[in-house]
Amino acid sequence: MKSPVLVSVIGAIIVLVILFFAVPVIAGGSTNICQDVESHNVSKTASGIAGGSSGPVYGVINSVGQLGATGNVEKAKQDSDNPNTPSVVGCAGDWWQSL
């Protein structure tokens, strides 16, 4: 019989793993975490260039950038930076670091 503490620890680990992947997916609005990270990076860069996250300059830069945010660049970056780690894990980690 497993101890209640062990079951609780395993349950907590499972919840943390689910949250690690679920929060970026929910916040990004798609099931592609790498695309969500790219989209977030585009928005952050557009905000930095425009001096804020509103207004026509931000809107144009963000809109143009979002057209190219497919997730492929972030996936390739993760594959290159962390060749032994699935790109989805690296993308989720980058999303959390960007907060």
Side-chain angles (χ1 to χ4, degrees):
M1 186 168 159
K2 294 182 182 178
S3 74
V5 173
L6 180 62
V7 171
S8 296
V9 169
I10 291 172
I13 290 170
I14 290 171
V15 167
L16 289 174
V17 168
I18 290 171
L19 287 175
F20 181 76
F21 292 106
V23 171
V25 167
I26 292 167
S30 80
T31 57
N32 184 339
I33 294 176
C34 293
Q35 183 178 12
D36 294 340
V37 170
E38 249 181 65
S39 180
H40 176 76
N41 290 344
V42 165
S43 179
K44 192 172 173 182
T45 300
S47 177
I49 292 170
S53 60
S54 63
V57 174
Y58 169 79
V60 169
I61 294 170
N62 188 49
S63 295
V64 170
Q66 294 300 337
L67 292 174
T70 62
N72 294 333
V73 172
E74 185 64 27
K75 183 181 180 319
K77 177 185 173 293
Q78 292 303 323
D79 289 342
S80 174
D81 291 352
N82 308 302
N84 298 323
T85 304
S87 57
V88 133
V89 174
C91 288
D94 270 4
W95 187 87
W96 284 103
Q97 286 180 337
S98 72
L99 296 181

Coordinates of all heavy atoms in Angstrom, one line a residue:
M1 N 0.8 -1.2 0.0 CA 0.0 0.0 0.0 C 0.9 1.2 0.0 O 1.8 1.3 0.7 CB -0.9 0.0 1.2 CG -1.9 1.1 1.3 SD -3.1 0.7 2.6 CE -3.7 2.3 2.8
K2 N 0.5 2.2 -0.9 CA 1.3 3.4 -0.9 C 1.0 4.4 0.2 O -0.2 4.5 0.6 CB 1.1 4.1 -2.3 CG 1.6 3.3 -3.5 CD 1.4 4.1 -4.7 CE 1.8 3.2 -5.9 NZ 1.6 3.8 -7.2
S3 N 2.0 5.1 0.6 CA 1.7 6.0 1.7 C 1.0 7.3 1.2 O 1.2 7.6 0.0 CB 3.0 6.5 2.4 OG 3.7 7.3 1.5
P4 N 0.2 7.9 2.0 CA -0.6 9.1 1.6 C 0.3 10.2 1.2 O 0.0 11.0 0.3 CB -1.4 9.4 2.8 CG -1.4 8.2 3.7 CD -0.2 7.4 3.4
V5 N 1.5 10.3 1.8 CA 2.4 11.4 1.5 C 3.0 11.2 0.1 O 3.0 12.1 -0.7 CB 3.6 11.4 2.5 CG1 4.6 12.4 2.1 CG2 3.0 11.7 3.9
L6 N 3.3 10.0 -0.3 CA 3.8 9.7 -1.6 C 2.8 10.0 -2.7 O 3.1 10.6 -3.7 CB 4.3 8.2 -1.7 CG 4.9 7.8 -3.0 CD1 6.1 8.6 -3.4 CD2 5.2 6.3 -3.0
V7 N 1.6 9.6 -2.4 CA 0.5 9.8 -3.3 C 0.3 11.3 -3.5 O 0.1 11.8 -4.6 CB -0.8 9.1 -2.9 CG1 -2.0 9.6 -3.7 CG2 -0.7 7.6 -2.9
S8 N 0.3 12.1 -2.4 CA 0.2 13.5 -2.4 C 1.3 14.2 -3.2 O 1.1 15.1 -4.0 CB 0.1 14.1 -1.0 OG -1.0 13.7 -0.3
V9 N 2.5 13.7 -3.0 CA 3.7 14.3 -3.8 C 3.5 14.0 -5.2 O 3.7 14.9 -6.1 CB 5.0 13.7 -3.2 CG1 6.2 14.1 -4.1 CG2 5.2 14.3 -1.8
I10 N 3.2 12.8 -5.6 CA 3.0 12.4 -7.0 C 1.9 13.3 -7.6 O 2.0 13.8 -8.7 CB 2.8 10.9 -7.2 CG1 4.1 10.2 -6.8 CG2 2.3 10.6 -8.6 CD1 3.9 8.7 -6.7
G11 N 0.8 13.4 -6.9 CA -0.3 14.2 -7.4 C 0.1 15.7 -7.6 O -0.3 16.3 -8.6
A12 N 0.9 16.2 -6.7 CA 1.3 17.6 -6.8 C 2.2 17.8 -8.0 O 2.1 18.8 -8.8 CB 2.1 18.1 -5.5
I13 N 3.1 16.8 -8.2 CA 4.0 16.9 -9.4 C 3.2 16.8 -10.7 O 3.5 17.6 -11.6 CB 5.0 15.7 -9.3 CG1 6.0 16.0 -8.2 CG2 5.8 15.6 -10.7 CD1 7.0 14.8 -7.9
I14 N 2.2 16.0 -10.7 CA 1.3 15.9 -11.9 C 0.6 17.2 -12.2 O 0.6 17.7 -13.3 CB 0.4 14.7 -11.8 CG1 1.1 13.4 -11.9 CG2 -0.7 14.8 -12.9 CD1 0.3 12.1 -11.6
V15 N 0.1 17.8 -11.1 CA -0.6 19.1 -11.3 C 0.4 20.2 -11.8 O 0.0 20.9 -12.7 CB -1.3 19.5 -9.9 CG1 -1.7 20.9 -10.0 CG2 -2.4 18.6 -9.6
L16 N 1.6 20.2 -11.3 CA 2.5 21.2 -11.7 C 2.9 21.0 -13.2 O 3.1 22.0 -13.9 CB 3.8 21.1 -10.8 CG 3.6 21.7 -9.4 CD1 4.9 21.5 -8.6 CD2 3.2 23.2 -9.4
V17 N 3.1 19.8 -13.6 CA 3.4 19.5 -15.0 C 2.3 19.9 -15.9 O 2.5 20.6 -16.9 CB 3.8 18.0 -15.2 CG1 3.8 17.6 -16.7 CG2 5.1 17.6 -14.5
I18 N 1.1 19.6 -15.5 CA -0.1 20.0 -16.3 C -0.2 21.6 -16.4 O -0.4 22.1 -17.5 CB -1.4 19.5 -15.7 CG1 -1.4 17.9 -16.0 CG2 -2.6 20.1 -16.3 CD1 -2.5 17.2 -15.2
L19 N 0.0 22.2 -15.3 CA 0.0 23.7 -15.3 C 1.1 24.3 -16.1 O 0.9 25.3 -16.8 CB 0.1 24.2 -13.8 CG -1.2 24.1 -13.0 CD1 -1.0 24.5 -11.6 CD2 -2.3 24.9 -13.6
F20 N 2.3 23.7 -16.1 CA 3.5 24.2 -16.8 C 3.1 24.3 -18.3 O 3.5 25.2 -19.0 CB 4.6 23.2 -16.6 CG 5.9 23.6 -17.3 CD1 6.7 24.6 -16.9 CD2 6.3 22.9 -18.5 CE1 7.8 25.0 -17.6 CE2 7.5 23.3 -19.1 CZ 8.2 24.3 -18.7
F21 N 2.3 23.3 -18.8 CA 2.0 23.3 -20.2 C 0.6 24.0 -20.5 O 0.4 24.7 -21.5 CB 1.9 21.9 -20.8 CG 3.3 21.3 -20.9 CD1 3.7 20.3 -20.0 CD2 4.2 21.7 -21.8 CE1 4.9 19.7 -20.0 CE2 5.5 21.1 -21.9 CZ 5.8 20.1 -21.0
A22 N -0.3 23.9 -19.6 CA -1.7 24.4 -19.8 C -1.8 25.9 -19.7 O -2.5 26.5 -20.5 CB -2.6 23.8 -18.8
V23 N -1.1 26.5 -18.8 CA -1.2 28.0 -18.7 C -0.7 28.7 -20.0 O -1.4 29.6 -20.5 CB -0.4 28.5 -17.4 CG1 -0.3 30.0 -17.4 CG2 -1.1 28.0 -16.2
P24 N 0.5 28.4 -20.5 CA 0.8 29.0 -21.8 C -0.2 28.8 -22.9 O -0.4 29.7 -23.7 CB 2.2 28.4 -22.2 CG 2.7 27.9 -20.9 CD 1.5 27.5 -20.1
V25 N -0.7 27.6 -23.0 CA -1.7 27.3 -24.0 C -3.0 28.1 -23.9 O -3.5 28.7 -24.8 CB -2.0 25.8 -24.0 CG1 -3.3 25.5 -24.9 CG2 -0.9 25.0 -24.6
I26 N -3.4 28.2 -22.6 CA -4.6 29.0 -22.3 C -4.4 30.5 -22.6 O -5.2 31.2 -23.2 CB -5.1 28.7 -20.9 CG1 -5.7 27.3 -20.8 CG2 -6.2 29.7 -20.5 CD1 -5.9 26.8 -19.4
A27 N -3.3 31.0 -22.1 CA -2.9 32.4 -22.3 C -2.7 32.8 -23.7 O -3.1 33.8 -24.2 CB -1.7 32.7 -21.4
G28 N -2.1 31.8 -24.5 CA -1.8 32.1 -25.9 C -2.9 31.9 -26.8 O -3.0 32.4 -27.9
G29 N -3.9 31.1 -26.4 CA -5.1 30.9 -27.2 C -4.9 29.9 -28.3 O -5.8 29.8 -29.2
S30 N -3.8 29.1 -28.3 CA -3.7 28.0 -29.3 C -3.1 26.8 -28.7 O -2.6 26.9 -27.6 CB -2.9 28.5 -30.5 OG -1.5 28.4 -30.2
T31 N -3.1 25.7 -29.3 CA -2.5 24.5 -28.8 C -1.0 24.4 -29.1 O -0.4 23.4 -28.7 CB -3.2 23.2 -29.3 OG1 -3.2 23.2 -30.7 CG2 -4.7 23.2 -28.8
N32 N -0.5 25.3 -29.9 CA 0.9 25.3 -30.3 C 1.7 26.2 -29.3 O 1.6 27.5 -29.5 CB 1.1 25.7 -31.7 CG 2.5 25.7 -32.2 OD1 3.4 25.7 -31.5 ND2 2.6 25.6 -33.5
I33 N 2.4 25.7 -28.3 CA 3.1 26.5 -27.3 C 4.1 27.4 -28.0 O 4.3 28.5 -27.7 CB 3.6 25.7 -26.2 CG1 2.5 25.0 -25.4 CG2 4.5 26.5 -25.3 CD1 3.0 24.1 -24.3
C34 N 4.8 26.8 -29.0 CA 5.9 27.5 -29.6 C 5.3 28.8 -30.4 O 5.9 29.8 -30.4 CB 6.7 26.6 -30.6 SG 7.6 25.4 -29.7
Q35 N 4.2 28.6 -31.0 CA 3.5 29.7 -31.7 C 3.1 30.8 -30.6 O 3.2 32.0 -30.9 CB 2.3 29.2 -32.5 CG 1.6 30.3 -33.2 CD 0.5 29.9 -34.1 OE1 0.0 28.7 -33.9 NE2 0.0 30.7 -34.9
D36 N 2.6 30.3 -29.5 CA 2.2 31.2 -28.4 C 3.4 32.1 -27.9 O 3.3 33.3 -27.7 CB 1.6 30.5 -27.2 CG 0.3 29.8 -27.6 OD1 -0.4 30.2 -28.6 OD2 -0.1 28.9 -26.9
V37 N 4.6 31.4 -27.8 CA 5.8 32.1 -27.4 C 6.2 33.2 -28.4 O 6.5 34.3 -28.1 CB 6.9 31.1 -27.1 CG1 8.2 31.9 -26.9 CG2 6.6 30.3 -25.9
E38 N 6.2 32.7 -29.7 CA 6.5 33.7 -30.8 C 5.5 34.9 -30.8 O 5.9 36.0 -31.0 CB 6.4 33.0 -32.1 CG 7.8 32.8 -32.8 CD 7.7 32.1 -34.1 OE1 7.1 32.7 -35.1 OE2 8.2 31.0 -34.2
S39 N 4.3 34.6 -30.7 CA 3.2 35.6 -30.7 C 3.5 36.6 -29.5 O 3.4 37.8 -29.7 CB 1.9 35.0 -30.6 OG 0.9 36.0 -30.6
H40 N 3.8 36.0 -28.4 CA 4.1 36.9 -27.2 C 5.3 37.7 -27.4 O 5.3 38.9 -27.1 CB 4.3 36.0 -25.9 CG 4.6 36.7 -24.7 ND1 3.7 37.4 -24.0 CD2 5.8 36.8 -24.1 CE1 4.4 38.0 -22.9 NE2 5.6 37.6 -23.0
N41 N 6.3 37.1 -28.0 CA 7.6 37.9 -28.3 C 7.3 39.0 -29.3 O 7.9 40.1 -29.2 CB 8.7 37.0 -28.8 CG 9.2 36.0 -27.7 OD1 9.0 36.2 -26.5 ND2 9.8 35.0 -28.1
V42 N 6.5 38.8 -30.3 CA 6.2 39.8 -31.3 C 5.4 40.9 -30.6 O 5.8 42.1 -30.8 CB 5.3 39.2 -32.4 CG1 4.7 40.3 -33.3 CG2 6.1 38.3 -33.3
S43 N 4.5 40.6 -29.8 CA 3.7 41.6 -29.1 C 4.6 42.5 -28.2 O 4.5 43.7 -28.1 CB 2.6 41.0 -28.3 OG 1.9 41.9 -27.6
K44 N 5.5 41.8 -27.5 CA 6.4 42.5 -26.5 C 7.4 43.4 -27.3 O 7.6 44.5 -26.9 CB 7.2 41.4 -25.8 CG 8.0 41.9 -24.6 CD 8.6 40.7 -23.8 CE 9.5 41.2 -22.8 NZ 10.1 40.0 -22.0
T45 N 7.9 42.9 -28.5 CA 8.8 43.7 -29.3 C 8.0 44.9 -29.9 O 8.6 46.0 -29.9 CB 9.4 42.9 -30.4 OG1 10.1 41.8 -29.8 CG2 10.3 43.7 -31.3
A46 N 6.8 44.7 -30.4 CA 6.0 45.8 -30.9 C 5.8 46.8 -29.8 O 5.8 48.1 -30.1 CB 4.7 45.3 -31.5
S47 N 5.5 46.4 -28.6 CA 5.3 47.3 -27.5 C 6.5 48.1 -27.2 O 6.4 49.3 -27.0 CB 4.8 46.5 -26.3 OG 4.7 47.4 -25.2
G48 N 7.7 47.5 -27.3 CA 8.9 48.2 -27.0 C 9.2 49.2 -28.1 O 9.7 50.3 -27.8
I49 N 8.9 48.9 -29.3 CA 9.2 49.8 -30.4 C 8.2 51.0 -30.4 O 8.6 52.1 -30.6 CB 9.1 49.1 -31.8 CG1 10.2 48.1 -31.9 CG2 9.1 50.1 -33.0 CD1 10.1 47.2 -33.1
A50 N 7.0 50.7 -30.1 CA 5.9 51.7 -30.2 C 5.8 52.5 -28.9 O 5.2 53.5 -28.8 CB 4.6 51.1 -30.4
G51 N 6.5 52.1 -27.8 CA 6.5 52.8 -26.6 C 5.2 52.5 -25.8 O 4.9 53.2 -24.8
G52 N 4.5 51.4 -26.1 CA 3.3 51.0 -25.3 C 2.6 50.0 -26.1 O 2.9 49.7 -27.3
S53 N 1.6 49.4 -25.4 CA 0.8 48.3 -26.1 C -0.5 48.8 -26.6 O -1.5 48.1 -26.6 CB 0.6 47.2 -25.1 OG -0.1 47.6 -24.0
S54 N -0.6 50.0 -27.1 CA -1.8 50.5 -27.7 C -1.4 51.6 -28.7 O -0.2 52.0 -28.8 CB -2.7 51.1 -26.7 OG -2.2 52.2 -26.1
G55 N -2.3 52.0 -29.6 CA -2.0 53.0 -30.5 C -1.8 52.4 -31.9 O -1.6 51.2 -32.1
P56 N -1.8 53.3 -32.9 CA -1.7 52.8 -34.3 C -0.3 52.2 -34.6 O -0.2 51.3 -35.4 CB -2.0 54.1 -35.1 CG -1.7 55.2 -34.2 CD -2.0 54.7 -32.8
V57 N 0.8 52.8 -34.1 CA 2.1 52.3 -34.4 C 2.2 50.8 -33.9 O 2.6 49.9 -34.6 CB 3.2 53.2 -33.8 CG1 4.6 52.5 -34.0 CG2 3.2 54.5 -34.5
Y58 N 1.8 50.6 -32.6 CA 1.8 49.3 -32.0 C 0.9 48.4 -32.9 O 1.3 47.2 -33.1 CB 1.3 49.3 -30.6 CG 1.1 48.0 -30.0 CD1 2.1 47.2 -29.6 CD2 -0.2 47.4 -30.0 CE1 1.9 45.9 -29.1 CE2 -0.5 46.2 -29.5 CZ 0.6 45.4 -29.0 OH 0.4 44.1 -28.5
G59 N -0.3 48.8 -33.2 CA -1.2 48.0 -34.0 C -0.6 47.5 -35.3 O -0.7 46.3 -35.6
V60 N 0.0 48.4 -36.0 CA 0.6 48.0 -37.3 C 1.8 47.0 -37.1 O 1.8 46.0 -37.8 CB 1.1 49.3 -38.1 CG1 1.9 48.9 -39.3 CG2 -0.1 50.1 -38.5
I61 N 2.7 47.4 -36.2 CA 3.9 46.5 -36.0 C 3.4 45.1 -35.5 O 3.9 44.1 -36.0 CB 4.9 47.2 -35.0 CG1 5.4 48.4 -35.7 CG2 6.0 46.2 -34.7 CD1 6.2 49.3 -34.7
N62 N 2.5 45.1 -34.6 CA 2.1 43.9 -34.0 C 1.3 43.0 -35.0 O 1.6 41.8 -35.1 CB 1.2 44.1 -32.8 CG 0.9 42.8 -32.0 OD1 1.7 42.0 -31.7 ND2 -0.4 42.6 -31.8
S63 N 0.5 43.7 -35.8 CA -0.3 42.9 -36.8 C 0.6 42.3 -37.9 O 0.4 41.1 -38.2 CB -1.3 43.9 -37.5 OG -2.3 44.3 -36.6
V64 N 1.6 43.1 -38.4 CA 2.5 42.5 -39.4 C 3.3 41.4 -38.8 O 3.5 40.4 -39.4 CB 3.4 43.6 -39.9 CG1 4.5 43.1 -40.8 CG2 2.6 44.6 -40.7
G65 N 3.8 41.6 -37.5 CA 4.6 40.6 -36.9 C 3.8 39.3 -36.6 O 4.3 38.2 -36.8
Q66 N 2.6 39.4 -36.2 CA 1.7 38.3 -35.9 C 1.5 37.4 -37.1 O 1.3 36.2 -37.0 CB 0.4 38.7 -35.3 CG 0.5 39.3 -33.9 CD 1.1 38.5 -32.9 OE1 1.2 37.3 -32.9 NE2 1.7 39.1 -31.8
L67 N 1.5 38.0 -38.3 CA 1.3 37.2 -39.5 C 2.4 36.2 -39.7 O 2.2 35.1 -40.3 CB 1.3 38.1 -40.8 CG 0.1 39.1 -40.9 CD1 0.3 40.0 -42.1 CD2 -1.2 38.3 -41.1
G68 N 3.6 36.5 -39.2 CA 4.7 35.5 -39.4 C 5.0 34.7 -38.2 O 5.9 33.8 -38.2
A69 N 4.2 34.8 -37.1 CA 4.4 34.1 -35.9 C 3.7 32.7 -36.0 O 2.6 32.5 -35.5 CB 3.8 34.9 -34.7
T70 N 4.4 31.8 -36.6 CA 3.8 30.4 -36.8 C 4.3 29.5 -35.8 O 3.8 28.4 -35.7 CB 4.2 29.9 -38.2 OG1 5.6 29.8 -38.3 CG2 3.7 30.8 -39.3
G71 N 5.4 29.8 -35.1 CA 6.0 28.9 -34.1 C 7.2 28.2 -34.6 O 7.9 27.6 -33.9
N72 N 7.4 28.2 -35.9 CA 8.5 27.5 -36.5 C 9.9 28.1 -36.1 O 10.8 27.3 -35.9 CB 8.4 27.5 -38.1 CG 7.2 26.8 -38.6 OD1 6.8 25.8 -37.9 ND2 6.7 27.1 -39.7
V73 N 10.0 29.4 -36.0 CA 11.3 30.0 -35.6 C 11.6 29.6 -34.1 O 12.7 29.2 -33.8 CB 11.2 31.5 -35.8 CG1 12.4 32.2 -35.2 CG2 11.0 31.9 -37.2
E74 N 10.6 29.7 -33.3 CA 10.8 29.3 -31.9 C 11.2 27.9 -31.7 O 12.0 27.5 -30.9 CB 9.6 29.7 -31.0 CG 9.8 29.5 -29.5 CD 10.8 30.4 -28.9 OE1 11.1 31.5 -29.4 OE2 11.4 29.9 -27.9
K75 N 10.5 27.0 -32.5 CA 10.7 25.6 -32.4 C 12.2 25.3 -32.9 O 12.9 24.5 -32.2 CB 9.8 24.8 -33.3 CG 9.9 23.3 -33.2 CD 8.9 22.6 -34.1 CE 9.1 21.1 -34.1 NZ 10.4 20.6 -34.1
A76 N 12.6 25.9 -34.0 CA 14.0 25.8 -34.5 C 15.0 26.3 -33.5 O 16.0 25.6 -33.2 CB 14.1 26.5 -35.8
K77 N 14.7 27.4 -32.8 CA 15.6 27.9 -31.8 C 15.7 26.9 -30.6 O 16.8 26.7 -30.1 CB 15.0 29.2 -31.2 CG 15.8 29.8 -30.1 CD 15.1 31.1 -29.6 CE 15.8 31.7 -28.4 NZ 15.7 30.9 -27.2
Q78 N 14.6 26.3 -30.2 CA 14.6 25.4 -29.1 C 15.4 24.1 -29.5 O 16.1 23.6 -28.7 CB 13.2 25.0 -28.6 CG 12.5 26.2 -28.0 CD 13.2 26.7 -26.8 OE1 13.8 26.0 -26.0 NE2 13.2 28.0 -26.6
D79 N 15.1 23.6 -30.7 CA 15.8 22.5 -31.2 C 17.3 22.7 -31.2 O 18.1 21.8 -30.9 CB 15.3 22.1 -32.6 CG 13.9 21.5 -32.5 OD1 13.5 21.1 -31.5 OD2 13.3 21.4 -33.6
S80 N 17.7 23.9 -31.6 CA 19.2 24.2 -31.6 C 19.8 24.4 -30.3 O 20.9 23.9 -30.0 CB 19.4 25.5 -32.5 OG 20.7 25.9 -32.4
D81 N 19.1 25.2 -29.4 CA 19.6 25.5 -28.1 C 19.6 24.2 -27.1 O 20.4 24.1 -26.3 CB 18.7 26.6 -27.4 CG 18.9 27.9 -28.1 OD1 19.8 28.0 -28.9 OD2 18.2 28.8 -27.7
N82 N 18.6 23.4 -27.3 CA 18.4 22.2 -26.4 C 18.1 21.0 -27.2 O 17.0 20.5 -27.3 CB 17.2 22.5 -25.4 CG 17.4 23.8 -24.7 OD1 18.3 24.0 -24.0 ND2 16.4 24.7 -24.9
P83 N 19.1 20.4 -27.9 CA 18.9 19.3 -28.8 C 18.3 18.0 -28.2 O 17.7 17.2 -28.8 CB 20.2 19.1 -29.5 CG 21.2 19.7 -28.5 CD 20.5 20.8 -27.8
N84 N 18.5 17.9 -26.9 CA 18.1 16.6 -26.2 C 16.7 16.8 -25.5 O 16.3 15.9 -24.7 CB 19.1 16.1 -25.2 CG 20.4 15.7 -26.0 OD1 20.4 15.2 -27.1 ND2 21.5 16.0 -25.4
T85 N 16.1 18.0 -25.6 CA 14.9 18.3 -25.0 C 13.8 18.5 -26.0 O 14.0 19.2 -27.0 CB 15.0 19.6 -24.1 OG1 16.1 19.4 -23.2 CG2 13.8 19.9 -23.3
P86 N 12.6 18.0 -25.8 CA 11.5 18.3 -26.8 C 11.3 19.8 -26.9 O 11.3 20.5 -25.9 CB 10.3 17.5 -26.2 CG 10.9 16.5 -25.3 CD 12.2 17.0 -24.8
S87 N 11.1 20.3 -28.1 CA 10.9 21.7 -28.3 C 9.7 22.3 -27.5 O 9.8 23.4 -27.1 CB 10.8 22.0 -29.8 OG 9.7 21.3 -30.4
V88 N 8.7 21.5 -27.3 CA 7.5 21.9 -26.6 C 7.9 22.3 -25.1 O 7.4 23.2 -24.6 CB 6.5 20.8 -26.6 CG1 5.8 20.5 -25.4 CG2 5.4 21.1 -27.7
V89 N 8.8 21.5 -24.5 CA 9.3 21.8 -23.2 C 10.1 23.1 -23.1 O 9.8 24.0 -22.3 CB 10.1 20.6 -22.6 CG1 10.7 21.0 -21.3 CG2 9.3 19.4 -22.5
G90 N 10.9 23.3 -24.1 CA 11.7 24.5 -24.2 C 10.8 25.7 -24.5 O 11.1 26.8 -23.9
C91 N 9.9 25.6 -25.3 CA 8.9 26.7 -25.6 C 8.1 27.1 -24.4 O 8.0 28.3 -24.1 CB 8.0 26.3 -26.8 SG 8.8 26.3 -28.4
A92 N 7.7 26.1 -23.6 CA 6.9 26.4 -22.4 C 7.8 27.1 -21.4 O 7.4 28.0 -20.7 CB 6.3 25.1 -21.8
G93 N 9.0 26.6 -21.3 CA 10.0 27.2 -20.4 C 10.3 28.7 -20.8 O 10.3 29.6 -19.9
D94 N 10.4 29.0 -22.1 CA 10.6 30.3 -22.5 C 9.4 31.2 -22.2 O 9.6 32.4 -21.9 CB 10.9 30.4 -24.0 CG 12.4 30.2 -24.3 OD1 13.2 30.1 -23.4 OD2 12.8 30.4 -25.5
W95 N 8.2 30.6 -22.4 CA 7.0 31.4 -22.1 C 7.0 31.8 -20.6 O 6.8 33.0 -20.3 CB 5.8 30.6 -22.4 CG 4.5 31.4 -22.3 CD1 3.9 32.1 -23.2 CD2 3.7 31.6 -21.1 NE1 2.8 32.8 -22.7 CE2 2.7 32.4 -21.4 CE3 3.8 31.1 -19.8 CZ2 1.7 32.8 -20.5 CZ3 2.9 31.5 -18.9 CH2 1.8 32.3 -19.2
W96 N 7.3 30.9 -19.7 CA 7.4 31.3 -18.3 C 8.5 32.3 -18.0 O 8.3 33.2 -17.2 CB 7.6 30.0 -17.5 CG 6.3 29.2 -17.4 CD1 6.0 28.1 -18.0 CD2 5.2 29.5 -16.6 NE1 4.7 27.6 -17.7 CE2 4.2 28.5 -16.8 CE3 4.9 30.5 -15.6 CZ2 3.0 28.5 -16.1 CZ3 3.6 30.5 -15.0 CH2 2.7 29.5 -15.3
Q97 N 9.6 32.2 -18.7 CA 10.7 33.1 -18.4 C 10.4 34.5 -18.9 O 10.9 35.5 -18.4 CB 12.0 32.7 -19.1 CG 12.7 31.5 -18.4 CD 13.9 31.1 -19.1 OE1 14.1 31.3 -20.3 NE2 14.8 30.4 -18.4
S98 N 9.5 34.6 -19.9 CA 9.2 35.9 -20.5 C 8.2 36.7 -19.6 O 8.0 37.9 -19.8 CB 8.5 35.7 -21.8 OG 7.2 35.2 -21.7
L99 N 7.7 36.1 -18.5 CA 6.8 36.9 -17.7 C 7.5 37.9 -16.8 O 8.5 37.9 -16.4 CB 6.0 35.9 -16.8 CG 5.1 34.9 -17.5 CD1 4.3 34.0 -16.6 CD2 4.1 35.7 -18.4

